[in-house]
Amino acid sequence: MPATAGGPLFLMARTGLELPVNPRNLKPLGLALAVGVALAACQKTEAPADTAAAPVAAAPVVDLATLKTPAISLQASDVDTNIAACQDFDGFVNSKWLAANPVPSDRTTWGPFVVLSERSLEIQQKLVENLAAQEGATGTAKLIGDVWATGMDEAAVNAAGIAPIQPMLDEIAALEGPEAIAAFIAASYAKGQGFVFGFGPSPDFKDSSVNIAYASQAGLGLPDRDYYFDEKHAAVREAYVAHIAKVLQLAGADEATATAQAADVMAFETRLAKVSASSEQLSRDVSLYYNPVSVADADALTPNFKWSAFFASQGLEAPAMFSLAQPDFHKEVSTMLADVPAATWQAYLRFQAVDGLSPFLSDAFAQENFNFYGKTLRGQAEQQPRWKRVLNTINGQMGEALGKEYVDVAFSPEAKARMQELVGNLSTALKARIENLEWMSPETKEQALVKWASFTPKIGYPDKWRDWSGLQTSRDSFVANLMAAGEFNHKFNLAKIGQPVDKTEWQMSPQTVNAYYNPLANEIVFPAAILQPPFFDLAADDAVNYGGIGAVIGHEMIHGYDDQGSRFDATGNFKNWWTEADMAGFQERTGRLVSQFNEYGYGDDMKVNGNLTLGENIADLGGLAVAYDALQKALENKRVAEIDGYGPNQRFFMNWATVWRVNYKPEELKVRLQTDPHAPARFRAMGAPSNLPAFADAFGCKEGDPMVRSGEAKVAIW
């Protein structure tokens, strides 16, 4: 998890439909743009923005028909009839489209999620341009307009160079000794700047009605701890060291000094990596995030970093308990404060500070940041145009404010009503499947149904919009605006610690193309931007919508019963509600699903990790089965004609595969296989259907066909 001054939100991030990709190429330190919490230092030059007293002026209507990026939808012309559905279902549905739609030069993947993101960005661009042009704007119109205007002023950003963060670098240069370094880290967090570890609020695992503080591992620049040790990542490590040296040179070091310091920084991060959990470990054992301790016990564990002083520096009373997650990591950081030379700490902190803010500094910094994180690490051919990068930044800093504008033009009441109906139908189908499970005892089944009854669906946008009063921005400096927003967001998050959980709050903005399940609230959330083709289409037949958004709804519901979600009860507490025999039966079935996905891959050196992706594979399998059941109920007593030669059951599965038509850059695919809890799209298109007899029936597949699993090879869980 990135070192950010915001809440972990780890569970939501690991149970979304698709991996949320940080527009900063996932570089730690600072702006966790995917969840809207950021670094900060305050330069306040304007009067407070009062959103209650000064509502945003009405935005112009955006004509969705004029968007340049065409939506993806199930089309008979895309089907490759030379490939048998029972042999290669992904190829049958998607191969023609994939061959005709390579990854654009400013992206690392191309498919429905990214296409809808592009369409969302086009709408947002029109909205923010209008807001920025308003004379005398107030409230969120002013906030959004200021960030847009200063972000788009490339000449001013280039003229400023590194000056906006020079005061921070001067502080780092003056650090001497463990106490001074620890004090700097704490003071930086008070401004919203996260170094070395992650810190923020999240519900208490044992009492999910109250937020507590969590401190967790962070501080690494590479995507996963294994990048520091595995021989297959040796070339990436070499490129990363060269990148560190280049960043330090841009920050003012001469070549020889930068080269020596880069080696020290890499050794520093490697030492952190040795005591860090891997992506797989964190994805498959959520308990690693929960280690409740008293502040006194935490101080004893990390004698060179006093948590009592840290809480005081944040303006917080020392809590009776907080979660010091991954305690061995924090213990090692404390040791490093004592035995790592101050000069090495300075080099590490200087690199982290500059690299984390490079995307928002002058072109030389932004380009170097992209060269490594975008081009080298993920295979992106060219940097996104400035307008997209600035919009991504706005989404990170004040995404919900922009989301309010977005839903006014891009999400109809009719769409929300239809979604509510679909959620109800899927919920009914899930209840029936739980009731009819043969392998589960009545005792466990009763608790599963209690959890089912307490699901909270959220559709489109929040019922209560966040108040941005007090955030101050100007037309003077892009970085200063981001720092002000970061501090504001940090304080907003700190205020949650020790307080009741706000169940109206969303962890994704309405314009985000994704969905998620939050086990600590037992809620399923569907932002407005995903409610478009191929997922959802008001004009489409039921088969298409149930195979698209219906399966998405089922997917998120099943996350409540996947290998990690099933460890939380109906109230969102971390509590076992299974009999011992039922848990053993569940684990036997999930183990066979792990084995299935371990067989998928791109040759022997690029295999899918069935354990890393288990939760998402459980959700796909169960969600698709539930959606199919709901479709059958919707089609009851109806005569439904074929469309383009395909019946409703075929179109159901075909649209499921359409959702997963994705091209990857090779480098991006390698990173995802190592770190992403979602399997590559091709295997999601085929994995769940191959376990469902309904798929074989729909396409006339026979035992022995690659898309048909039978006997012990077939997995049925929920």
Side-chain angles (χ1 to χ4, degrees):
M1 181 169 52
T4 57
L9 301 178
F10 40 80
L11 294 171
M12 176 277 290
R14 298 196 188 285
T15 55
L17 190 71
E18 171 73 351
L19 177 69
V21 176
N22 190 319
R24 293 177 55 237
N25 302 308
L26 301 178
K27 178 65 185 78
L29 175 75
L31 308 158
L33 301 180
V35 295
V37 287
L39 61 63
C42 191
Q43 296 186 25
K44 300 182 178 180
T45 58
E46 299 291 330
D50 185 348
T51 55
V56 177
V61 174
V62 177
D63 185 356
L64 303 184
T66 66
L67 299 181
K68 294 177 290 185
T69 306
I72 295 173
S73 61
L74 175 61
Q75 302 289 336
S77 58
D78 287 335
V79 176
D80 189 341
T81 55
N82 294 315
I83 299 176
C86 301
Q87 300 293 313
D88 177 1
F89 190 54
D90 178 66
F92 171 72
V93 177
N94 294 329
S95 61
K96 286 174 64 176
W97 187 93
L98 292 170
N101 291 273
V103 179
S105 59
D106 69 341
R107 291 285 188 175
T108 60
T109 67
W110 192 245
F113 287 93
V114 183
V115 166
L116 288 185
S117 294
E118 288 284 322
R119 290 171 63 84
S120 179
L121 287 173
E122 287 185 52
I123 296 169
Q124 294 170 48
Q125 182 184 19
K126 292 175 169 58
L127 293 171
V128 298
E129 286 176 343
N130 173 72
L131 295 175
Q134 291 181 13
E135 292 289 338
T138 57
T140 52
K142 178 187 185 303
L143 303 177
I144 295 168
D146 284 348
V147 176
W148 174 258
T150 53
M152 290 302 293
D153 191 348
E154 190 170 7
V157 172
N158 280 329
I162 201 172
I165 64 169
Q166 191 59 53
M168 187 196 314
L169 300 183
D170 291 342
E171 285 186 65
I172 292 171
L175 295 177
E176 292 292 343
E179 291 185 3
I181 296 167
F184 171 80
I185 293 171
S188 296
Y189 257 107
K191 301 172 186 176
Q193 299 158 10
F195 291 99
V196 189
F197 58 88
F199 179 79
S202 210
D204 185 346
F205 273 30
K206 295 299 177 68
D207 180 5
S208 62
S209 67
V210 178
N211 286 306
I212 63 169
Y214 287 76
S216 59
Q217 69 178 52
L220 303 181
L222 293 175
D224 180 70
R225 55 107 50 210
D226 291 344
Y227 273 77
Y228 291 85
F229 309 109
D230 198 315
E231 186 57 32
K232 69 182 179 183
H233 299 305
V236 172
R237 288 196 295 273
E238 184 178 347
Y240 182 51
V241 173
H243 168 67
I244 296 170
K246 181 63 175 178
V247 169
L248 292 173
Q249 279 187 268
L250 289 171
D254 60 61
E255 184 176 0
T257 301
T259 299
Q261 289 181 344
D264 290 340
V265 170
M266 187 60 176
F268 184 103
E269 290 192 16
T270 301
R271 187 167 168 182
L272 288 180
K274 287 180 180 178
V275 290
S276 297
S278 68
S279 298
E280 179 179 351
Q281 291 170 316
L282 293 173
S283 294
R284 302 279 55 87
D285 187 0
V286 72
S287 68
L288 293 176
Y289 288 101
Y290 194 64
N291 179 49
V293 297
S294 68
V295 172
D297 286 345
D299 282 349
L301 182 73
T302 62
N304 299 308
F305 189 88
K306 295 296 185 182
W307 291 96
S308 51
F310 177 79
F311 277 99
S313 73
Q314 309 307 298
L316 298 171
E317 291 187 12
M321 177 272 287
F322 75 107
S323 179
L324 191 68
Q326 301 96 45
D328 287 346
F329 174 88
H330 297 286
K331 185 177 180 180
E332 181 69 357
V333 170
S334 175
T335 301
M336 291 171 70
L337 282 166
D339 66 18
V340 172
T344 300
W345 270 100
Q346 289 173 4
Y348 169 76
L349 294 170
R350 185 181 302 110
F351 166 69
Q352 288 284 328
V354 177
D355 202 41
L357 280 167
S358 285
F360 318 109
L361 298 174
S362 58
D363 287 346
F365 292 93
Q367 188 62 48
E368 174 56 32
N369 184 273
F370 166 75
N371 285 345
F372 178 72
Y373 296 106
K375 187 177 294 184
T376 299
L377 192 60
R378 297 183 175 270
Q380 187 173 328
E382 65 180 49
Q383 194 164 202
Q384 288 192 327
R386 190 169 194 88
W387 69 269
K388 289 184 183 180
R389 288 182 277 144
V390 176
L391 275 178
N392 285 330
T393 303
I394 292 172
N395 278 308
Q397 302 307 312
M398 49 194 70
E400 191 171 301
L402 181 53
K404 190 172 188 298
E405 305 290 333
Y406 176 88
V407 297
D408 285 344
V409 302
F411 189 60
S412 70
E414 293 81 8
K416 183 161 186 171
R418 178 64 175 132
M419 270 295 295
Q420 289 170 328
E421 178 186 349
L422 284 166
V423 169
N425 293 346
L426 267 292
S427 180
T428 300
L430 174 58
K431 181 174 186 283
R433 291 192 76 85
I434 294 172
E435 290 173 335
N436 293 317
L437 285 176
E438 295 180 356
W439 59 271
M440 182 176 282
S441 70
E443 293 85 354
T444 303
K445 193 177 294 185
E446 179 181 1
Q447 294 305 309
L449 289 170
V450 169
K451 186 167 188 176
W452 166 86
S454 67
F455 272 124
T456 299
K458 295 180 177 179
I459 299 168
Y461 52 87
D463 293 327
K464 182 181 75 175
W465 295 98
R466 180 179 167 185
D467 181 8
W468 296 87
S469 302
L471 175 56
Q472 302 172 46
T473 58
S474 74
R475 296 291 171 103
D476 295 335
S477 167
F478 184 43
V479 171
N481 283 336
L482 301 187
M483 292 173 122
E487 183 173 14
F488 180 84
N489 285 325
H490 177 55
K491 290 179 177 177
F492 173 80
N493 280 306
L494 286 184
K496 300 176 186 178
I497 295 173
Q499 299 300 312
V501 171
D502 181 356
K503 294 187 179 295
T504 69
E505 189 175 14
W506 282 46
Q507 308 302 342
M508 282 182 180
S509 66
Q511 63 273 30
T512 302
V513 182
N514 212 330
Y516 69 91
Y517 169 75
N518 179 359
L520 290 163
N522 200 27
E523 65 184 9
I524 50 175
V525 184
F526 307 96
I530 198 174
L531 304 179
Q532 302 176 64
F535 299 97
F536 176 69
D537 185 352
L538 272 174
D541 58 299
D542 278 342
V544 165
N545 280 327
Y546 278 91
I549 199 65
V552 170
I553 295 167
H555 173 104
E556 299 307 337
M557 288 179 172
I558 293 296
H559 267 312
Y561 304 99
D562 71 15
D563 65 313
Q564 299 304 309
S566 61
R567 302 173 75 180
F568 294 81
D569 68 10
T571 65
N573 289 333
F574 191 63
K575 180 180 178 181
N576 179 43
W577 46 270
W578 295 69
T579 67
E580 187 174 336
D582 287 337
M583 179 53 71
F586 177 69
Q587 291 175 341
E588 188 276 330
R589 286 164 174 78
T590 60
R592 286 192 282 129
L593 194 61
V594 169
S595 297
Q596 277 189 17
F597 275 81
N598 281 340
E599 296 171 2
Y600 288 132
Y602 307 87
D604 291 338
D605 60 339
M606 291 182 65
K607 288 287 191 180
V608 175
N609 184 333
N611 192 51
L612 172 64
T613 60
L614 176 59
E616 298 301 326
N617 298 333
I618 294 170
D620 279 355
L621 176 58
L624 189 63
V626 169
Y628 181 83
D629 290 352
L631 174 63
Q632 302 315 300
K633 185 69 175 176
L635 296 178
E636 231 173 37
N637 303 318
K638 293 182 182 178
R639 294 186 62 185
V640 182
E642 290 185 345
I643 299 175
D644 296 322
Y646 298 102
N649 291 344
Q650 291 175 315
R651 289 172 60 77
F652 168 85
F653 287 109
M654 289 166 71
N655 200 44
W656 164 259
T658 300
V659 165
W660 302 114
R661 57 170 54 156
V662 179
N663 272 318
Y664 299 89
K665 298 292 287 187
E667 297 86 347
E668 172 72 15
L669 186 57
K670 289 178 181 178
V671 173
R672 292 199 176 210
L673 286 169
Q674 179 77 40
T675 64
D676 190 353
H678 308 80
R682 168 172 169 77
F683 307 120
R684 298 183 75 176
M686 298 193 297
S690 72
N691 286 289
L692 299 181
F695 172 83
D697 291 343
F699 290 93
C701 303
K702 297 177 174 57
E703 190 166 339
D705 287 337
M707 283 297 302
V708 177
R709 298 182 188 273
S710 58
E712 286 298 307
K714 182 179 71 176
V715 177
I717 304 173
W718 293 103

